[in-house]
Amino acid sequence: MADIKAPVFPESVADGTIVEWHVTEGQQVNRDDLLAEIETDKVVLEVVAPDNGVLTKIVKQVDDTVLSDELIAEFEAGASASADSAPAVDPDQPAAPVQAKQATDGGEPVQVTDKKDSVESDHKDQSPAVRKAAKESGVDPKEVEGSGRGGRVTKTDMANPTLKSDSSIKSDSGRPVAESTGERTEKRVPMTRLRKTVANRLLSASQDTAMLTTFNEVNMKPLMDMRAKYKDQFEKRHGVRLGFMSLFVKAATEALKRFPAVNASLDGDDIVYHGFYDIGVAVSSDRGLVVPVLRDTDRMSMADVESRIRELGGLAQKGKLGLNDMTGGTFTISNGGVFGSLMSTPILNPPQTAILGMHAINDRPMAVDGKVEILPMMYLALSYDHRMIDGKEAVQFLVTIKELVEDPAMLLLDL
């Protein structure tokens, strides 16, 4: 008999929540088969089978909180499932029809269906993605109008559910999760751990730091011209597309070298100056905002940056980012421009002391040498902790990024 334990969490992660068991007690599994998923404040961790055998006992159930290295199940290696154990169900196949039971009513046979079996069959008939969405939202797929073949509920239906006219869904606490009255619908769903963590950290940043934001604008024409001229050669040579983020990352890295205070962090009453440059890039995913980190950006080429950003973005969309991908970081860049944001004040990501906000590129009339020209302009915003960084340093830091972006050759010449 072997113990199945939760993964060892880093010091920054206190606990996790079991969001799904992929096997049942008594079910036979193979080595490295997925047993359960545990959601922490940062990522979803997978627990896999250590060997071929049988999961004999589930100790921690779905929604239970678990600590680092805590026992969650018992496992018997080399064992085989007993004949009376329930066979594994392929989640992609429809459940078998419910066996009807015989009863009598005045001597006449009456078909009676086991309600519990019927409910379980309904849930097994849903795809894994639908069942996962149902657990996250608290909305029962049976109450949702399905757009799939034969009225089947899809993942898209669960993301923006249209409830059946007679639906009245309750949460585990008894409060309504979603109610529908005619065409007026409202939905109440619990926050995910990630959303709670993001909310708490943003609130803490606004309350516990002396946050201030300075703005500037940058002429994107030189960078856009360079990209248009070399993008085909760049992609052919490096196998990755040339975007704007790589140059902003390299410009920010150079500016951090010149202004070490912006690359520092506060630890109580101590100032920690970092001798490395780990830049986090905010990415929007289905689970919420995550900030994977690019390590040692001073040693990365623009092709390395573009390739790594693409890799981390793909992992974020699949929910496969690891804890090491998102821990640490000495500075953050957030690009609200991809969603159309013209200007905003990004919120700090403690214990970091600064964050750069990029925004949409819009053509605007600008005065150039006494003449009006239409130029593609972008607003830049730098939010910083005024306890650590003086206004002069913050402004000079942002102006340095502006100058490097407007004249990319300065990066190559180390000017």
Side-chain angles (χ1 to χ4, degrees), residues 237-363:
R237 172 76 178 272
H238 301 289
V240 64
R241 295 179 62 185
L242 176 61
F244 295 137
M245 183 59 78
S246 56
L247 191 118
F248 273 92
V249 168
K250 296 300 291 182
T253 302
E254 179 60 31
L256 290 171
K257 293 179 182 179
R258 302 180 189 184
F259 301 92
V262 184
N263 195 49
S265 61
L266 289 174
D267 184 10
D269 293 330
D270 296 330
I271 300 174
V272 182
Y273 290 95
H274 304 292
F276 50 89
Y277 307 92
D278 292 351
I279 296 182
V281 180
V283 176
S284 178
S285 71
D286 292 340
R287 296 180 59 242
L289 184 70
V290 293
V291 187
V293 179
L294 303 172
R295 309 288 180 185
D296 298 317
T297 55
D298 57 320
R299 303 177 185 177
M300 300 176 73
S301 66
M302 291 180 63
D304 293 334
V305 173
E306 291 289 353
S307 179
R308 186 58 177 158
I309 289 176
R310 182 177 180 180
E311 178 184 354
L312 292 172
L315 292 174
Q317 295 303 324
K318 297 176 183 177
K320 298 295 185 180
L321 283 173
L323 288 171
N324 291 335
D325 294 326
M326 295 192 292
T327 54
T330 59
F331 184 75
T332 296
I333 300 177
S334 177
N335 185 7
V338 296
F339 305 109
S341 173
L342 181 63
M343 184 181 292
S344 66
T345 56
I347 299 179
L348 294 174
N349 184 22
Q352 298 174 22
T353 53
I355 178 173
L356 176 69
M358 299 166 55
H359 298 92
I361 302 172
N362 288 329
D363 287 343

Side-chain angles (χ1 to χ4, degrees), residues 218-220 222-223 247-248 251 401-408:
V218 57
N219 176 12
M220 294 293 291
L223 183 56
L247 191 118
F248 273 92
I401 292 180
K402 168 186 168 66
E403 291 174 346
L404 293 173
V405 171
E406 290 184 338
D407 190 357

Side-chain angles (χ1 to χ4, degrees), residues 91-134:
D92 291 327
Q93 296 295 328
V98 178
Q99 180 66 42
K101 298 180 180 179
Q102 292 289 335
T104 59
D105 183 11
E108 295 295 329
V110 179
Q111 293 293 104
V112 180
T113 302
D114 191 316
K115 183 176 180 181
K116 179 180 179 181
D117 290 342
S118 177
V119 171
E120 290 179 352
S121 295
D122 287 341
H123 283 291
K124 290 177 181 178
D125 191 42
Q126 307 297 339
S127 70
V130 170
R131 295 202 304 273
K132 183 176 181 181

Side-chain angles (χ1 to χ4, degrees), residues 52-123:
N52 299 338
V54 174
L55 188 73
T56 57
K57 182 180 180 181
I58 294 178
V59 178
K60 292 290 186 178
Q61 304 297 326
V62 172
D63 293 333
D64 283 354
T65 298
V66 297
L67 302 177
S68 178
D69 204 31
E70 183 177 5
L71 177 68
I72 62 172
E74 294 179 356
F75 178 83
E76 185 174 354
S80 299
S82 59
D84 57 349
S85 297
V89 178
D90 185 351
D92 291 327
Q93 296 295 328
V98 178
Q99 180 66 42
K101 298 180 180 179
Q102 292 289 335
T104 59
D105 183 11
E108 295 295 329
V110 179
Q111 293 293 104
V112 180
T113 302
D114 191 316
K115 183 176 180 181
K116 179 180 179 181
D117 290 342
S118 177
V119 171
E120 290 179 352
S121 295
D122 287 341
H123 283 291

